[in-house]
Every structure is written in C-alpha cells, then in structure tokens.
Amino acid sequence: ITIYLAWSLLKKDKNEWVIQKCTELGVSHFLPLITDRSTPTDISQFRLERLKKIAIEASEQCGRSDIPTVREPMHVKTFIDEFQEKLPIYVCEQGQEHIAGYPGELAILVGPEGGWSDEEKQIFEESKANYIGLHDFTLRAETACVSAATLVLK
C-alpha cells in the first residue's frame, strides 16, 4: 500500500518524530500542510533537508529498501487541488467511523491542534473527500499521524 501522509505542520521536533515513526511504519510520501491554524513559527522552523535526513536514517534503521519522499509545506487547498483527481483522500476527523479495506494508494490528512477550520472542512466537502475516525479520544496531532498510518496499513 502506498500512503501519502499530509499533516498539519507541528513544532519542529514533533515533525521530526512524525517522519521517523511513520517511515518505520511504511509511509511512502510526506506532505506537510499549512493550515488555517498553522503559526508563522511552525512554518519558519520547517527544515526540509533535516526531515529528509531523518527519513533516510529511519529507513536504514528499520530495514526499508526505499526512502520516503518529503516535500515542502503546502496549503491545504493546494494539496486538494493537486491530489483530488489522483488519489482517494481520507481526512481524519474525530467522531467519524472507522473504515476497513483501503485502496492500494491513498492520501491521509491529519489536522492541527484544535482541528480543521470551517473553511478547510468546506474544501473537503467540495472535493468529496472521505473521512475516517481514529479514536474516541482526542489525539495529539503527532499521535494521530502514527495512528492513521497504522490503521490503514493493517
């Protein structure tokens, strides 16, 4: 299965943790998102080359034969515009049902602390994105990334 993980930018070390753990789990592509709740600090602390290095190290550590790609941050709308015709998109949202049986290639979107904005939810509705629930409890964004990858890869 090929997973494109698109997650809202987090504080510097949390982005690194997401890359490391989700690489170990088998995520193929990392696409950090600039959301309505992203802060200028979150954006300015993003270090693409550092995250690529972490992906390489995590791949080597876990014995992967491939290295996932890591892209520059993009706005949510840009992500939807680029990928909605290419991949099924699954938006993580608390209160949604758990789904079984995912396609062989998909994108998972994990939102920021505080959740998606109303405008972002509207973009998802207009693009006919799918929704998945990860847990009954509110998860930290980095935990939601790992939970989503694990759920889809089962």
Side-chain angles (χ1 to χ4, degrees), residues 16 19-20 23 30 50-61 64 66-70:
E16 293 174 2
I19 297 286
Q20 181 185 54
T23 294
F30 291 98
R50 170 93 177 121
L51 294 179
K52 286 180 177 182
K53 181 179 176 188
I54 288 170
I56 291 168
E57 291 170 354
S59 295
E60 290 171 352
Q61 183 276 326
R64 278 181 72 159
D66 65 325
I67 298 168
T69 63
V70 183

Side-chain angles (χ1 to χ4, degrees), residues 5-7 13 19 38 41 43 49 63 70 82 92 95 101 106 108 125 128 130-131 133 148 152:
L5 177 63
W7 80 101
D13 61 333
I19 297 286
S38 295
T41 303
I43 298 165
E49 293 309 313
V70 183
E82 182 175 336
C92 297
L106 69 139
I108 303 169
E125 289 298 321
K128 299 184 180 10
N130 304 291
Y131 288 89
V152 170

Side-chain angles (χ1 to χ4, degrees), residues 21-93:
K21 300 307 175 194
C22 291
T23 294
E24 293 172 13
L25 289 170
V27 169
S28 303
H29 305 280
F30 291 98
L31 302 107
L33 297 174
I34 298 169
T35 67
D36 290 346
R37 298 190 199 286
S38 295
T39 68
T41 303
D42 296 339
I43 298 165
S44 68
Q45 288 182 345
F46 183 85
R47 301 285 180 261
L48 180 62
E49 293 309 313
R50 170 93 177 121
L51 294 179
K52 286 180 177 182
K53 181 179 176 188
I54 288 170
I56 291 168
E57 291 170 354
S59 295
E60 290 171 352
Q61 183 276 326
C62 72
R64 278 181 72 159
S65 61
D66 65 325
I67 298 168
T69 63
V70 183
R71 289 187 47 178
E72 286 283 353
M74 66 178 73
H75 288 274
V76 172
K77 178 77 169 113
T78 304
F79 175 87
I80 294 295
D81 289 344
E82 182 175 336
F83 287 95
Q84 73 177 346
E85 300 298 324
K86 297 177 185 175
L87 300 168
I89 296 173
Y90 291 83
V91 178
C92 297
E93 185 78 341

